[in-house]
Amino acid sequence: MTTDRDLHAHLIGQQGSRADLNTPVLVLDADALDRNIAAMAALVAAKGITLRPHAKTHKSVDIAKRQIGAGAVGVCCAKIGEAEALAAGGIIGILVTSPVAAPRAIERLAALAATAEGLIAVVDHPGVAEQLQSALAAANANLDVIIDIDPGIARTGVASAEAAVTLARVIAASPNLAYHGVQFYCGSQQHIESYVERRAAIVERTAYLQSVIAALSDAGFAPETITGSGTGTHRIDLDLGIFTELQAGSYVFMDKQYLDCDLTGEGGEPPFEVSLLVDARVVSANHDGLVTIDAGYKSLSTDGGVAVVQRGAPETTFFAFMGDEHAALIAPGIGTQLNPGDPVSLTVPHCDPTVNLYDSYHVVAGDTLVDIWPVSARGRAR
């Protein structure tokens, strides 16, 4: 099977080689990436708290190393498979943010705890905590755990302060588990476009979090770590001052979902740059107001709206999916302006699932390919 390196390794370092990439291709602007990493690191450091960015966004050992090099204490992973892949690449301080409950997955988590430095996992059910204890004892391993608190979407997390205290007692009675704190991730609030409305929603949810923390503290389980937040609410959460660490992830790339949000409440330009793009090419141009490109459902996520043309076509161009392999770019006269083979660059609708469609990042400096990084945890759904 031909790999991205087979296709493109010879282009690394050649001036203007981005134009010669086979499309569709996942492109990463190295300078914009590093500026985003530095900007978030500075924001968090100024508040005296830590950053454990979510690697479900990038699934990349190379990017995780850059984040840790800029001051992050580790990274978050959504699933045990992601954690295994990043740990194998030398990443330490991994927090698994989704409950691990399947028997085989619990065994894998216990095995990883025996070898991965600084591994942490969330739990949200006493029965799972007891199964983890048994697996860890069999593996002769210990594990720091975080109690996941449901922020109101009924996806994961304990559903009440009383349930949090009950779970904390089970953890305390488990010799191979160590209670480390709480997680509170308000996922449904991250993409509220209005800053004022998003802040009001987070203030209300933070009050609930404080009530759970108070109950835990009264029972003797004051959390050392309070982890959560995201790119959409990072400024609000920093101002409210409840979290001891942030899990923001998409800031490294930015996508249409977050570009549509006022992240700072100040208007103007977003605080982070678009660093992730999909480069495509025109494959058909036989109509005046429409051209077809080679990037469809298999190349771009579909859950965050549609892609936006960043360069290569008029600013007024509308993107429309046309099937698995194709999309249309629609604008007056576009069929007379673009020809088959012409390149276009797209800002992705939702970065996390888009990245999962590709094997590699094609890292560029300007218009020159400078490296190819694997999407290390691609497809790690388990």
Side-chain angles (χ1 to χ4, degrees), residues 15-322:
Q15 186 68 33
S17 51
R18 177 177 178 177
D20 295 323
L21 294 172
N22 290 264
T23 57
V25 63
L26 193 66
V27 172
L28 182 58
D29 183 321
D31 293 336
L33 170 71
D34 286 341
R35 287 191 292 269
N36 288 345
I37 289 172
M40 182 64 84
L43 282 171
V44 171
K47 292 291 186 177
I49 67 173
T50 57
L51 178 65
R52 198 184 304 268
H54 218 306
K56 73 182 177 70
T57 299
H58 56 70
K59 302 176 183 291
S60 164
V61 168
D62 295 279
I63 297 174
K65 287 180 177 178
R66 273 173 140 78
Q67 292 173 310
I68 292 171
V73 296
V75 298
C76 295
C77 290
K79 297 292 185 71
I80 181 64
E82 289 181 357
E84 289 169 334
L86 294 192
I91 303 303
I92 63 175
I94 295 172
L95 166 59
V96 181
T97 59
S98 297
V100 176
R104 178 62 184 128
I106 288 174
E107 291 175 5
R108 289 164 61 196
L109 182 59
L112 190 61
T115 60
E117 181 180 346
L119 183 69
I120 312 168
V122 303
V123 290
D124 72 353
H125 194 279
V128 172
E130 291 167 351
Q131 293 175 57
L132 266 175
Q133 166 56 36
S134 297
L136 289 162
N140 193 28
N142 297 302
L143 180 65
D144 287 337
V145 292
I146 297 277
I147 293 176
D148 186 25
I149 301 170
D150 176 15
I153 60 177
R155 182 171 66 182
T156 67
V158 294
S160 67
E162 295 77 14
V165 171
T166 297
L167 180 53
R169 289 184 174 129
V170 172
I171 294 168
S174 303
N176 295 79
L177 297 177
Y179 170 67
H180 201 67
V182 297
Q183 172 179 273
F184 193 71
Y185 175 62
C186 295
S188 62
Q189 285 78 18
Q190 296 301 316
H191 297 110
I192 298 174
E193 294 185 10
S194 162
Y195 182 87
V196 172
E197 293 177 10
R198 193 178 335 116
R199 182 180 177 87
I202 290 299
V203 167
E204 187 274 331
R205 286 292 79 199
T206 300
Y208 171 67
L209 170 61
Q210 290 175 302
S211 72
V212 179
I213 292 171
L216 285 165
S217 299
D218 289 346
F221 300 108
E224 174 186 345
T225 297
I226 304 169
T227 183
S229 189
T231 298
T233 62
H234 73 282
R235 292 291 182 97
I236 300 164
D237 291 318
L238 286 173
D239 289 343
L240 294 177
I242 302 302
F243 288 108
T244 65
E245 71 174 34
L246 299 194
Q247 297 182 0
S250 297
Y251 73 94
V252 293
F253 294 153
M254 294 298 286
D255 55 24
K256 184 180 184 298
Q257 286 186 312
Y258 281 120
L259 291 171
D260 286 344
C261 295
D262 177 2
L263 295 183
T264 66
E266 300 167 357
E269 292 297 314
F272 307 106
E273 304 172 48
V274 174
S275 67
L276 183 76
L277 298 159
V278 167
D279 279 5
R281 291 187 189 281
V282 175
V283 295
S284 183
N286 294 319
H287 303 278
D288 179 72
L290 177 152
V291 300
T292 302
I293 62 172
D294 58 357
Y297 293 127
K298 292 182 180 178
S299 305
L300 295 155
S301 67
T302 62
D303 64 327
V306 296
V308 177
V309 176
Q310 190 197 64
R311 68 176 188 174
E315 291 184 2
T316 57
T317 300
F318 178 75
F319 175 101
F321 284 108
M322 293 186 75

Side-chain angles (χ1 to χ4, degrees), residues 57 59 351-359 375 377-380:
T57 299
K59 302 176 183 291
C351 52
D352 304 24
T354 296
V355 166
N356 201 50
L357 298 171
Y358 293 86
D359 294 321
V375 181
R378 178 183 180 272
R380 300 301 180 106

